[in-house]
Amino acid sequence: MKTELVIDLEAEKQEILKRYRALLRASKSTLQKGDKKEIRKAFDMALESHKDMRRKSGEPYIYHPIAVAQIAAEEIGLGTTSIVCALLHDVVEDTDITLEDIEREFGKKTAKIIDGLTKISGVFDTNSSLQAENFRKMLLTLADDVRVILIKLADRLHNMRTMDFMPRHKQLKIASETIYLYAPLAHRLGLYAIKSELEDLSMKYLEPETYKFIAKKLNEKKAERNMFIKKFVEPIDEIVHEQGLVADVYGRPKSIHSIWNKMKKKNIPFEEVYDLFAIRIILDSAYENEKADCWKAYSIVTDLYRPNPDRLRDWVSSPKGNGYESLHTTVMGPRGQWVEVQIRTQRMNEIAEKGFAAHWKYKESSNDNGLDQWIQKVREMLNNPEANALDFLDDFKMNLFSDEIFIFTPKGALIQLPLGATALDFAFEIHTDVGATCIGAKVNHKLVPISYKLQNGDQVEIITSSKQTPKEDWLNVVVTAKAKSKIKSSLKEEKRKIAEAGKEILERKLKSLKITYNTDNIQKISYFFKLPSTQELFVNVALGKIELKDIKEYLSSEKEVENRSPERPENLTVDMVKTKMKGSENDILLIGEDLQKIDYTLAACCNPIPGDDVFGFVTVSEGIKIHRTNCPNAAQLMSNYGYRIVKAKWNKQQELTFLTGLRIVGIDDVGLINNITKVISNDFKVNMRSITVDTNEGIFDGSIMIFVNDTEHLENLIKNLLQVKGVTGVTRFDA
Ligand code: MN
């Protein structure tokens, strides 16, 4: 027994050294004199302090920091300071080593980054009820030193890659956070390769069935696809070299997550997704020839294949805010299939893969730095103390993913805005006061309303009026986080003033009715009028929506209530739920079990049915809501309110039915509806709640709400519906 252990430890020691040497090789390109010694010192400290710790998989803990450091060096292109920080990223939190120790050994900068990493590691603490607020803290560290976030992303990527040994509920939570915040952040920082991998890994855990399905389909057609790519690429390759360009031309598969997104967005089956891959032309060009060479390659491609005029994207002349530069076009392939072609140089490609860290290396040759501007914007948003943390996060997240358009001021200055931005967004971008008093705009010298959606290249002049103030419906007009938060804080201020006036009016009214003005009474009145807060009550009074006679009505009902026994709606707290669930196996909520007497309902946003992978969410006033783990709201709920999530599963024996929706498309034919309803009602004995049908030029598009027992039942029904003559597609939809 004893000897065996010694042998294992010896083998592990060898393996640790092997991995350490691989890390050194990966960081070679950035190493300068003395760097190797620093990295060795950090490695020794990490090795010593983690020496008795193991990962869930049973492996030595040190494998993790080494892997994180390797990702930082190899996949993000970070230098020695970051490698040192990555090696030490868990020591302050998990071992006896203090920040002072780090500062003494490695200096102030390293200590500061590790401090940032330690602080944000608490961000996703399950017991924290203020996760959104913590996100904000995390973003503050980003504004401090971007390396903190980059190392955190490397950490997250390695954890996602090695999550198999985690219990299912932890996998779900970690995957949700990843899809909710980390993948968008990676995107915004230009780390496309890491972003795609994070998305695919999240999907693998959040929607394992779909993930496996698409992966299998992709694999089946691999040989055929490679053949197609080879044929497509050959003539391009030939002419490109004939014309004296040095280039690498190849096909690259798109990620499973992006294919799935396309299927959902367009509501099409896998077979109809045409761009399963993109063609890349990576040019080896001198810096001064880059632009000309890219267009030369573009001309070669479009001579061979006909381009779709609507699909030309030129991020070579105007790079994206995250530094991305590339020329994209979509052309008609030989078999009448659209193919996306991406043209860029090696320098641009490195930025596209590794993000802005690679950008830094070339900084002297690049004239503007979109990232600096962006971080400046983040800082501005974070400094707005009025903004509610959750709102802020949602707006912020939206902005992480959007594409940009470029707008000119009347004097020709260039302003970057997210795609879909309006004249009002532009006004707020110029200045808060300009936004707040905006009444319209002149776009390319033509008068337009504030809601006008700007197009790339528009020249915009804002028209203001001193009488204008921000309105509630402006929130539907703008898309930028900045404009939203400014409008919200202005409305809030406005409301506060109105409420103050309302409060005085109410005090007087209550006095005349001889009711004491105190918190208890005010709350009772708010409750009576079904208002969410006393502020809303004051506002309603100020606006004359609640008058003296209404309050009298309240008084008479209050007397009635006093005569009955008090019956208050029960507000379930998480602890109460947990106490109620104690005794059941592992605190899992069994749906369909009435013994537990826990009040739950099925969420309307995703309509779960037995067989679906689900979780429970404790709401403030409506008990527990059951959601599907692939519900569109799941990631938001799990990552922001982890402490309110309860595990749930279906209780097998039950004869209940559940509402779900089916979308059926096909070729309209006499009797088609009849045949469909026959399968549903006669063959399957399923109750239909509603059916809506659109027919347009011979295409049938129907939505049917039905009651089914479970997923198996539903799948069988779908199979049978697909057999109906004329039906080409049947998909489940949520709401
Ligand atoms: Mn870690």
Side-chain angles (χ1 to χ4, degrees), residues 88-207:
L88 297 171
H89 81 272
D90 279 331
V91 297
V92 173
E93 205 192 349
D94 297 340
T95 77
D96 296 335
I97 291 181
T98 64
L99 269 182
E100 287 72 44
D101 298 333
I102 304 266
E103 190 174 333
R104 197 175 51 246
E105 293 293 324
F106 298 95
K108 258 207 166 77
K109 187 82 245 177
T110 302
K112 192 139 192 260
I113 294 175
I114 291 178
D115 186 29
L117 284 163
T118 311
K119 274 194 191 124
I120 58 175
S121 77
V123 163
F124 293 112
D125 192 355
T126 4
N127 299 318
S128 164
S129 56
L130 294 163
Q131 273 153 335
E133 191 50 54
N134 282 329
F135 276 135
R136 191 147 132 162
K137 270 189 215 140
M138 167 157 145
L139 293 167
L140 269 172
T141 66
L142 174 138
D144 248 10
D145 190 325
V146 189
R147 283 176 291 187
V148 176
I149 298 292
L150 293 172
I151 296 166
K152 191 72 205 164
L153 278 169
D155 182 29
R156 175 52 55 128
L157 180 58
H158 185 246
N159 285 333
M160 288 292 293
R161 280 177 183 168
T162 52
M163 208 157 62
D164 282 343
F165 294 95
M166 289 270 179
R168 173 85 177 134
H169 72 278
K170 279 212 173 139
Q171 288 174 343
L172 283 178
K173 184 169 178 327
I174 293 171
S176 299
E177 294 159 6
T178 301
I179 204 72
Y180 185 70
L181 195 72
Y182 285 99
L185 264 176
H187 174 90
R188 194 56 190 77
L189 294 169
L191 300 149
Y192 285 94
I194 289 182
K195 171 221 162 203
S196 304
E197 194 180 341
L198 286 176
E199 283 175 342
D200 271 7
L201 286 168
S202 299
M203 191 183 159
K204 189 176 146 194
Y205 292 102
L206 294 175
E207 295 184 66

Side-chain angles (χ1 to χ4, degrees), residues 5 8-9 12 16 51-63 162 164-166:
L5 197 68
D8 274 350
L9 284 177
E12 271 176 1
I16 291 168
K51 72 170 184 273
D52 297 322
M53 295 164 66
R54 287 190 177 260
R55 304 198 82 206
K56 274 253 154 45
S57 58
E59 291 176 333
Y61 194 83
I62 190 72
Y63 285 6
T162 52
D164 282 343
F165 294 95
M166 289 270 179

